[in-house]
């Protein structure tokens, strides 16, 4: 057919629209009817809220051991908590906007309270879901009783009801975890304060049982304090792990420059145990370790810490481990530096005032002779000189100091004076 003779009815300018059913109005009516049914049942539940509370409490008590304990110790308080939670939940079904914030505050407080009481989070969430299930069950029951034909309409609001339950489970879990973190921080801070007081020697006798519990150490036992400085290539935990053998019961307390370990080395009866400090193979690669003497009971840990500090102060700058029991002369000197400096000046003064080269040769010879148990032969081998050279230097030292190396008391003074100069020089 020629285009000029086509009829108007045959001309198509685009696809023909397919008529769609008009369902928007119908959907709105269904939602409105569903809300009407929901609100009618919710109002009945509100009137019988104590009965619903009793049912939920009974179910929770039967299914959750944690809540069974809470109900045994505080039935009235737990019942009121459940009642408030149900009331806010049902009121939120009737008027979400007006009751949403109050319901959220109620759930948050429950999460915090149960965390403080130590109720497991799983038990708390289970109780909330049991409450949601029971409310939904009552909604269905009341609707079936009043108008069975309307039960089908509840399907249209089921998602909203269970979204509400999920929202409050998430809310109560967040509150629980936040409260748990705060409680853990408080406990850690309390333990730190108790340990600090113990190490400072300011702990009260009345606090010792709590301190023992917080540190997980017996109140009555034998302890040694380990002081660690430096040597932290992998952080404090790495230094600590290297310092104390595995299986040792110890509580670590971090300081600004020094970490302290309160180490349990046995019970209060020391018979047959030997020296527990010698049994500790303590090291801190690249750092310094000071080990004090053994003390009895947590009450004496402050004294043990002071002894550990004393041992730490004897450590050479290059690092190492010092057991105080093996370095008592040095400890005596370092514990009173003023007297140590006076002793060094009084005994070694004439030597110290020599020319540096001459002074160092004589002091090194004295130190080598003492280290070699008074053997000039071995001292000479250590100093790479002849035995007679050592003896000549020693005689000169005797002349300058006025002390005789054949007299034990003079040897003790010279040894302590050399120790004082070495430890106090820097």
């Amino acid at each position: 057919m020629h285009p000029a003779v086509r009829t108007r009815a045959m001309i198509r300018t685009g696809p023909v629209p397919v008529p769609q059913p008009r369902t928007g109005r119908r959907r709105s009516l269904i939602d409105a009817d569903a809300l009407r049914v929901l609100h009618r049942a919710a109002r009945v539940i509100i009137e019988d809220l104590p009965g619903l509370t009793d049912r939920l409490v009974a179910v929770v008590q039967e299914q959750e051991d944690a809540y069974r304990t809470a109900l045994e110790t505080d039935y009235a308080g737990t019942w009121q908590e459940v009642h408030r939670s149900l009331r806010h939940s049902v009121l939120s079904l009737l008027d979400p906007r007006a009751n949403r914030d109050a319901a959220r505050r109620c759930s948050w407080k429950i999460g915090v309270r149960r965390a403080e009481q130590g109720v497991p989070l799983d038990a708390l969430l289970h109780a909330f879901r049991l409450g949601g299930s029971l409310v939904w069950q009552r909604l269905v029951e009341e609707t079936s009783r009043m108008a069975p034909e309307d039960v089908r309409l509840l399907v249209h609001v089921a998602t909203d009801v269970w979204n509400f339950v999920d929202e409050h489970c998430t809310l109560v879990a967040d509150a629980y975890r936040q409260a748990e973190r705060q409680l853990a921080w408080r406990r850690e801070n309390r333990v730190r304060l108790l340990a600090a007081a113990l190490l400072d020697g300011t702990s009260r006798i009345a606090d010792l049982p709590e301190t023992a519990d917080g540190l997980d150490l017996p109140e009555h036992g034998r302890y040694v304090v380990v002081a660690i400085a430096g040597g932290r290539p992998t952080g404090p935990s790495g230094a600590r792990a290297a310092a104390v053998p595995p299986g040792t019961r110890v509580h670590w307390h971090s300081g600004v420059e020094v970490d302290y370990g309160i180490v349990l080395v046995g019970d209060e009866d020391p018979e047959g145990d030997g020296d527990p400090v010698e049994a500790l193979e303590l090291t801190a690669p690249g750092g310094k370790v000071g080990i004090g003497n053994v003390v009895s009971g947590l009450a004496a840990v402050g004294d043990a810490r002071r002894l550990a500090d004393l041992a730490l102060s004897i450590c050479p700058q290059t690092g190492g481990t010092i057991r105080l029991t093996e370095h008592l002369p040095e400890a005596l000197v370092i514990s009173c530096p003023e007297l140590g400096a006076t002793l060094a000046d009084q005994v070694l003064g004439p030597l110290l005032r020599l020319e540096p080269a001459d002074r160092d040769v004589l002091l090194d010879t004295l130190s080598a002779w003492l280290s070699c148990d008074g053997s000039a032969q071995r001292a000479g081998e250590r100093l790479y000189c002849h035995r007679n050279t050592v003896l000549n230097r020693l005689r000169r030292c005797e002349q300058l100091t006025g002390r005789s190396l054949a007299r034990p008391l003079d040897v003790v003074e010279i040894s302590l004076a050399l120790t004082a100069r070495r430890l106090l020089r820097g």
Side-chain angles (χ1 to χ4, degrees):
M1 182 181 297
H2 194 276
V5 297
R6 288 181 181 175
T7 63
R8 182 179 300 274
M10 297 179 63
I11 298 175
R12 296 179 178 178
T13 59
V16 177
V18 179
Q20 299 294 328
R22 299 178 63 185
T23 60
R25 176 66 176 167
R26 179 175 175 79
R27 178 66 186 172
S28 299
L29 291 174
I30 292 176
D31 290 343
D33 289 341
L35 286 176
R36 175 181 54 79
V37 172
L38 174 67
H39 291 169
R40 183 180 61 196
R43 281 191 288 269
V44 175
I45 294 176
I46 282 291
E47 294 175 0
D48 187 34
L49 201 57
L52 182 63
T53 303
D54 289 338
R55 285 178 61 180
L56 180 54
V57 167
V59 172
V60 171
Q61 188 174 18
E62 178 185 352
Q63 298 191 21
E64 280 296 341
D65 292 339
Y67 268 88
R68 189 178 304 132
T69 303
L71 286 164
E72 289 173 355
T73 56
D74 184 18
Y75 183 90
T78 305
W79 191 95
Q80 289 293 338
E81 177 184 279
V82 174
H83 184 270
R84 281 194 300 271
S85 180
L86 288 174
R87 180 174 177 273
H88 284 297
S89 298
V90 178
L91 287 176
S92 294
L93 297 178
L94 291 168
D95 190 348
R97 290 187 179 180
N99 295 283
R100 180 176 182 273
D101 290 341
R104 289 174 63 86
R105 285 195 299 269
C106 179
S107 294
W108 186 273
K109 289 179 181 178
I110 291 174
V112 171
R113 187 181 305 113
R114 291 308 179 194
E116 293 172 345
Q117 293 172 346
V119 174
L121 179 57
D122 288 345
L124 177 59
L125 294 176
H126 187 207
F128 260 74
R129 293 191 177 98
L130 286 174
S133 298
L134 191 56
V135 169
W136 177 253
Q137 182 181 343
R138 283 297 307 274
L139 289 171
V140 174
E141 289 175 355
E142 291 302 326
T143 303
S144 298
R145 183 181 60 84
M146 292 183 292
E149 68 279 4
D150 289 341
V151 171
R152 60 184 177 80
L153 292 172
L154 288 177
V155 174
H156 298 282
V157 293
T159 301
D160 295 332
V161 172
W162 287 106
N163 283 344
F164 178 88
V165 174
D166 289 342
E167 176 192 356
H168 281 257
C169 282
T170 301
L171 186 68
V172 78
D174 290 344
Y176 186 100
R177 294 190 182 100
Q178 180 174 318
E180 198 173 38
R181 287 192 295 270
Q182 292 175 347
L183 288 169
W185 180 86
R186 289 174 193 161
R187 284 193 295 268
E188 291 172 1
N189 193 50
R190 177 61 177 165
V191 168
R192 177 170 177 78
L193 291 175
L194 290 171
L198 203 64
L199 290 164
D200 289 342
T202 58
S203 182
R204 300 181 304 175
I205 297 299
D207 290 335
L208 289 179
E210 182 187 357
T211 302
D213 183 64
L215 274 57
D216 192 25
L217 294 170
E219 181 179 349
H220 304 289
R222 289 193 296 158
Y223 291 95
V224 65
V225 171
V226 177
I228 299 179
R232 300 185 182 182
T234 58
S237 59
R240 295 170 179 178
V244 178
T248 304
R249 291 184 66 180
V250 56
H251 176 83
W252 286 103
H253 180 80
S254 298
V256 178
E257 297 180 351
V258 180
D259 288 347
Y260 294 101
I262 304 172
V263 185
L264 178 67
V265 293
D267 55 32
E268 281 197 319
D269 184 7
E271 293 184 5
D273 289 345
D275 187 352
V277 176
E278 289 184 359
L280 290 176
E281 294 296 332
L282 303 172
T283 59
K288 300 188 293 183
V289 179
I291 308 171
N293 291 2
V294 176
V295 298
S296 295
L298 286 177
V301 164
D303 295 331
R305 192 270 305 168
R306 285 188 285 274
L307 295 174
D309 282 341
L310 190 57
L312 188 65
S313 66
I314 300 172
C315 285
Q317 292 299 318
T318 54
T321 299
I322 294 294
R323 292 176 173 83
L324 192 64
T325 53
E326 300 172 359
H327 296 269
L328 293 179
E330 293 95 325
L332 288 172
V333 169
I334 206 73
S335 62
C336 190
E338 294 83 1
L339 289 179
T342 301
L343 177 66
D345 183 67
Q346 180 176 316
V347 175
L348 303 176
L351 292 177
L352 300 178
R353 287 186 282 274
L354 295 174
E355 291 294 325
D358 197 15
R359 174 198 65 200
D360 292 343
V361 166
L362 295 180
L363 291 176
D364 290 344
T365 302
L366 271 176
S367 298
W369 182 78
L370 289 169
S371 298
C372 294
D373 299 324
S375 171
Q377 180 69 37
R378 283 190 287 142
E381 293 173 358
R382 178 175 294 187
L383 296 170
Y384 303 102
C385 64
H386 195 272
R387 171 181 178 274
N388 291 338
T389 302
V390 172
L391 293 174
N392 289 334
R393 293 175 182 173
L394 293 177
R395 278 193 291 271
R396 190 177 175 206
C397 289
E398 289 178 319
Q399 293 169 357
L400 289 170
T401 61
R403 266 99 176 151
S404 171
L405 296 178
R407 196 161 45 239
L409 182 60
D410 289 354
V411 174
V412 170
E413 286 188 343
I414 290 173
S415 177
L416 287 174
L418 286 171
T419 298
R421 181 177 182 274
R422 173 173 58 84
L423 294 176
L424 302 176
R425 183 168 46 181

